[in-house]
């Protein structure tokens, strides 16, 4: 799998899924809806929201926890793609920045220094999403070595 | 740290992701009455007494649901079950 395919599979598609979860199933008090309104996309957003499943039918873990996990997964994947085959120590800072930001934000909610409510499911998604890209990319690299 | 193309790309990538993260936060100026999961305010548990700051439970047509904060009346599923069996 080349960099372009990796970017589409591990960054763009997950981010589109996460974006649609926010647009379709979250309440409109989020900052992004103000941005959409400013861009004149209000009617388009309402159209999408009206033609999808009711928000109440979607489990909370999909609405609230999955997007957090997708954010960490995509950011870590991006760093893995950029820093692939690099031998510098700097790469470790970049590779860990997604998991560190995601997990610390969640733990910050637990001790009330970050706005929001701490949730165990969110933390599980954050941890899983931090580890999964490394497993995928390690497995993929080993598979490619085996093909040679 | 040497400035390389990889560092620049990583910084741009991180900035884009942080931008998305900011967009997914609640608008502090919003007066929407819609459900807010991230609210840190406490809710009264009703039947069982006490308060809860996260999501609680509600009963609709004798089914226990986990709704957003505003509609929560019970702290736990067992509390909602206890309410249903008592009524």
């Amino acid at each position: 799998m080349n960099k372009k395919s990796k970017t589409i599979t591990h960054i763009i598609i997950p981010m589109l899924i996460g974006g649609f979860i926010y647009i379709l199933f979250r309440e409109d008090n989020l900052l992004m809806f103000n941005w959409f309104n400013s861009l004149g996309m209000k009617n388009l957003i309402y159209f999408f929201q009206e033609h999808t499943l009711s928000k109440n039918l979607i489990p909370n873990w999909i609405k609230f926890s999955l997007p957090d996990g997708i954010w960490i997964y995509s950011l870590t994947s991006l760093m893995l793609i950029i820093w692939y085959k690099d031998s510098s120590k700097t790469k470790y800072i970049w590779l860990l920045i997604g998991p560190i930001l995601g997990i610390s934000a969640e733990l910050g909610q637990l001790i009330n220094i970050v706005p929001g409510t701490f949730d165990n499911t969110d933390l599980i998604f954050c941890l899983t999403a931090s580890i999964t890209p490394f497993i995928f990319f390690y497995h993929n690299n080993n598979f490619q070595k085996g093909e040679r | 740290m040497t400035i390389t193309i990889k560092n620049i790309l990583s910084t741009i990538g991180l900035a884009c992701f942080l931008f998305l993260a900011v967009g997914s936060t609640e608008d502090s100026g919003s007066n929407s009455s819609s459900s807010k999961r991230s609210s840190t305010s406490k809710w009264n548990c009703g039947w069982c007494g006490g308060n809860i700051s996260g999501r609680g439970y509600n009963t609709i047509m004798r089914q226990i649901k986990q709704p957003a904060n505003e509609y929560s009346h019970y702290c736990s599923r067992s509390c909602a079950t206890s309410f249903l069996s008592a009524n």
Side-chain angles (χ1 to χ4, degrees):
Chain A
M1 199 184 258
N2 59 22
K3 277 191 177 183
K4 196 177 172 183
S5 319
K6 280 181 183 171
T7 306
I8 293 169
T9 314
H10 297 286
I11 302 168
I12 294 174
I13 291 175
M15 288 308 285
L16 284 175
I17 294 169
F20 272 106
I21 291 172
Y22 269 105
I23 291 168
L24 301 178
F25 306 125
R26 291 293 289 266
E27 303 301 336
D28 58 4
N29 58 349
L30 302 179
L31 208 53
M32 66 169 72
F33 288 101
N34 283 359
W35 299 345
F36 291 139
N37 290 348
S38 307
L39 293 169
M41 294 167 71
K42 193 176 179 177
N43 291 336
L44 184 68
I45 299 295
Y46 281 148
F47 173 81
F48 279 127
Q49 288 177 340
E50 279 174 13
H51 291 83
T52 48
L53 284 170
S54 164
K55 288 173 186 175
N56 297 331
L57 295 174
I58 305 299
N60 279 333
W61 68 266
I62 292 181
K63 284 194 281 187
F64 297 114
S65 307
L66 185 62
D68 293 352
I70 287 175
W71 187 87
I72 297 176
Y73 177 86
S74 302
L75 178 55
T76 309
S77 298
L78 171 70
M79 295 306 167
L80 279 163
I81 291 167
I82 293 173
W83 293 94
Y84 175 65
K85 280 185 177 174
D86 195 284
S87 55
S88 70
K89 286 179 182 173
T90 320
K91 87 169 182 182
Y92 296 106
I93 299 169
W94 287 113
L95 292 182
L96 293 175
I97 203 150
I100 288 169
L101 284 175
I103 294 167
S104 58
E106 201 52 42
L107 292 175
Q109 291 178 350
L110 181 66
I111 52 172
N112 288 324
I113 55 168
V114 174
T117 306
F118 171 78
D119 190 86
N120 282 329
T121 316
D122 288 353
L123 189 62
I124 292 166
F125 269 86
C126 288
L127 291 169
T128 310
S130 302
I131 299 163
T132 316
F134 291 98
I135 295 171
F136 271 140
F137 280 76
Y138 180 78
H139 176 79
N140 194 261
N141 288 348
N142 278 357
F143 181 72
Q144 283 176 345
K145 279 177 193 168
E147 274 184 335
R148 281 174 203 154
Chain B
M1 190 197 299
T2 321
I3 296 173
T4 62
I5 188 79
K6 287 183 179 182
N7 280 309
I8 295 167
L9 280 174
S10 300
T11 309
I12 294 169
L14 178 63
C16 292
F17 273 81
L18 289 175
F19 177 75
L20 293 172
V22 170
S24 67
T25 57
E26 283 177 22
D27 178 17
S28 55
S30 168
N31 56 2
S32 165
S33 61
S34 54
S35 61
K36 292 179 198 166
R37 178 185 180 242
S38 59
S39 169
T40 51
S41 57
K42 290 189 181 294
W43 303 92
N44 191 289
C45 294
W47 175 258
C48 309
N51 292 306
I52 185 171
S53 58
R55 276 172 287 168
Y57 289 84
N58 205 347
T59 53
I60 300 163
M61 304 290 284
R62 300 192 69 79
Q63 281 192 322
I64 299 167
K65 307 271 185 192
Q66 190 173 30
N69 293 349
E70 280 97 316
Y71 311 105
S72 304
H73 295 293
Y74 315 105
C75 284
S76 61
R77 188 173 282 277
S78 61
C79 170
T81 310
S82 155
F83 170 80
L84 283 179
S85 37
N87 289 280

